[in-house]
Structures are given as C-alpha cells and as structure tokens.
Amino acid sequence: MTTSGKAPTSAVGTCAVGMGTFSILTALYFAQGLPFGFFTQALPVVLRDSGFSLFAISATGILFAPWALKFLWAPVVDRYGTRRRWLLTLQLSSSALALGMACLDLESTLRWLFVGIAMMNVLSADVATDGLAVERLGPRQRGPGNAIQVGAYRVGMIAGGGGLLYLFSIAGWRGLFVAMAIALLACTIPVWWLPRTGESRAPRPAASPATTAVAWWSRLRRPGIVALILLIGAYKFGDSMGSSLIGPFLTDSGLSLSQIALVKGVLSSLGALAGAAAGGWVAYRYGRRSALLIGGIWQTASLGLYLASSMEIGGFGLIVTACLAEHVFGGVATVAVFTVMMDAAEIAHAGSDYTLLACSIVVVQGVAGLAAGLIGDLAGYPMLFATSVVASAIGCAVMVIALDRGVGPAGVHATLRATSAT
C-alpha cells in the first residue's frame, strides 16, 4: 500500500506531465464546471428574479447531494472498468441529458428542471476524473496540475454561470441546454486518446473482505483523514457562505441579467485563470503551506470587498472589483486545498480517497449555503458578508496552525516537508 503519495514508477509516472494528460484534465474539469456553474451561479439569479427568498434559493442545494455522496460509489469506479470507459459513458450521458432537457417545456413549471438538475449532478459527480488526476500527477506536478484543474473547472463554472445566463436571456431554456449539450460533447473528444485497456492505470485495490458498498469506510478510518476533512471544512466554510449568494446579491443590487452575465462571465473568467495560475505557481515555488496561507488571507480580503459593497460603498465599480478578486484569490486558495487533498490520496485508491475529501467540500458548501440564506433573509447582506469574513479568517488560521502541528495524514506532512525544503 502506498502511503507517501508518490506516483508509481510505471507508465503512469512517465506520462504524468505529458500535454495529453493536461489536455484531458482541462476538458474534463471544464465539463464538470459548466453545468455546475449554471445550476449554482446562474439559476439563483433566475430564481431571485422570479421572487424566490434567499433561503428557498439556498435550499435548492439539496439537488447537489450526488456531489456529496459520490464517495459511496467511488470504490466501484476504482475497482471495476477503466477510466476511459467510465468517462465516455458519463460524458456522453450528460450530453444526452442536456439535449433531452432542451426538449422540455420549462417555461410553465420548473419541476422538470429540478429533476434534470438532480440527474445531471449524478452524472457530473465524476469519480473517474479525480482518480485519473491523482494517478497521473506526481507530488511536484500537483501544484501546476491543480492550477489546470481549478482553472478549467472555474472557467467552466463561469461559462455556465455567466455565458449560459447570457444565452438564457436571449434564447431561453432551449438554446441554453442545446449549447450545454454541444459543449459537453466537445469536451469528450480528448477522452478517446486514453488507453482502451487498464494498462496505464495504477494497480487495482487488493481483495478485501469488505464489500464494495462499504469499502469507503476503510478509507475514512485512515489515520488523520477525519482531521483533514474537518480542517478543509473550516478553511472553505466562510468562503462558501459568502460566495453562495453572490448572484442574488447582484440582482438585488440592480444589475440586469446581461450585466451579471458580463461580470460573472468575461471578467470573472480572466480572474479565475489568473488565480489558478498564481495558485499553481505559489504551490510549486513556495510549497503547500505558503499557498494555503496566502490564498486564505486574500480569499478573506475579497469577501471584505463584498461587505463594503453591501454597505453601498463604491457602487458598480466595487462590485466588479469584488467579483474579480473573488475568482483570483479564491483560485489561489482552491489550488492549495486541492493539492493537499491529492497528497492525502493513496495511488491504489486514488478515486476513493480524493473523492472522499472532495465530498467534504460539497457538504460544507451545502451547509454554508443554507446558513447564508438564513442570515441573508433575517439580517441582510452586510451581516451575511461580515459573518463570512470572520469565518474565513478563522478557518484559514485553524488549518495552517493545525498542519504546522502535524495534524492530518502522514502523507500530507511528508509532502509538505519535501516541497518546503525545495
């Protein structure tokens, strides 16, 4: 069993930094982010424009339960089939579902839209992509690799949250879902270059008396994993709370759908790319700890800009600045966290381990979103953003201090020491 987080010296290791790997990961994480971005960033704007309360909008987060529960079927993906087969099946199914949703009448009722969102999340909560990334990226490549992952995912989210929102404003539901289907299909093309057999994959998990359905429990019981999950939750809670209702905040600030699409589309895309690149460079050049600290501090500062804006300071210019800063500095923090998560994953259980940690972030986002909706409805946006600033600052401090004291899996600390030394 591999515990150091190092990639095996095999065909997987030799192709870890190939452009083919980066191209595939770019396409797949963009494909993950596109529908997720629309449903989490653009849909709240549409719902708020239709008169939904902030708490009701936050409650739709239950539709994203598949992202929080995907660790349950992660051992199945690790144990059976190839990455290529899983990816092709899920990607093509997602594209077909989007095309099917384009044929529905969503103008009279949103019932089928919510059903479609739940189904899309089952298909998009992709364990195979996460496992592929962990297998093909060595410890030194995980900073740049996660920059690509976070950049592609965030650009996908922004394309879904801004680009598809703009398309919705001019072409309605049908045009939106046709475009989504085409984009998801296009992102499937690089997957065809993956090996048709499992020869490039890491060794399959050894036989275990535990059934596949509960195999994840053994992964959760690894020393330091629960502590790391709690630290990740603390680090991301404040940021998730503040960012969950940015769309409704922009709507309530008087921005039109096209203005919101511009701010959360073009400008935020540039910020996301810059943040991902900066996060990858900091993690590679200065190590995980510095990336976590820098990302956490500036992530908190960007939430402070929203706080000032909610107090009617700075006008439209500050709103744009806050959105840009959120994606730049949030990108740095996210790259740092995802890199640490990869360090904690064992190669033989790549999909299961990484997915388990990723699910913790989704749970935190859901809880933080509900808290944000409740605070926003009861006390308004200034209190919401003030609370998120405090929570983000505390979470950053807790995670950095805890890692400094040796809390978490041994593999994480071995990589922390190695990257700090270089």
Side-chain angles (χ1 to χ4, degrees), residues 21 34 39 86 99 122 164 170 183 187 194 201 226 248 254 259 268 283 337 353 411:
T21 295
L34 184 69
F39 296 138
W86 280 106
L99 193 59
V122 171
L164 291 183
I170 61 175
C187 290
L194 282 175
R201 292 184 54 183
V226 172
Q259 286 178 315
S268 295
V337 171
D353 288 352

Side-chain angles (χ1 to χ4, degrees), residues 42-61 63 106-111 113-114 173 245 247-249 251-252 373 376-377 381:
L43 185 61
V45 175
V46 176
L47 296 179
R48 187 61 170 175
D49 195 52
S50 300
F52 282 69
S53 70
L54 295 179
F55 185 77
I57 294 172
S58 299
T60 61
L63 298 172
L106 299 176
E107 298 295 340
S108 57
T109 177
L110 296 179
R111 179 185 306 169
L113 174 64
F114 294 140
W173 292 111
L245 294 177
F249 169 66
T251 299
D252 292 343
D377 277 337
Y381 288 113

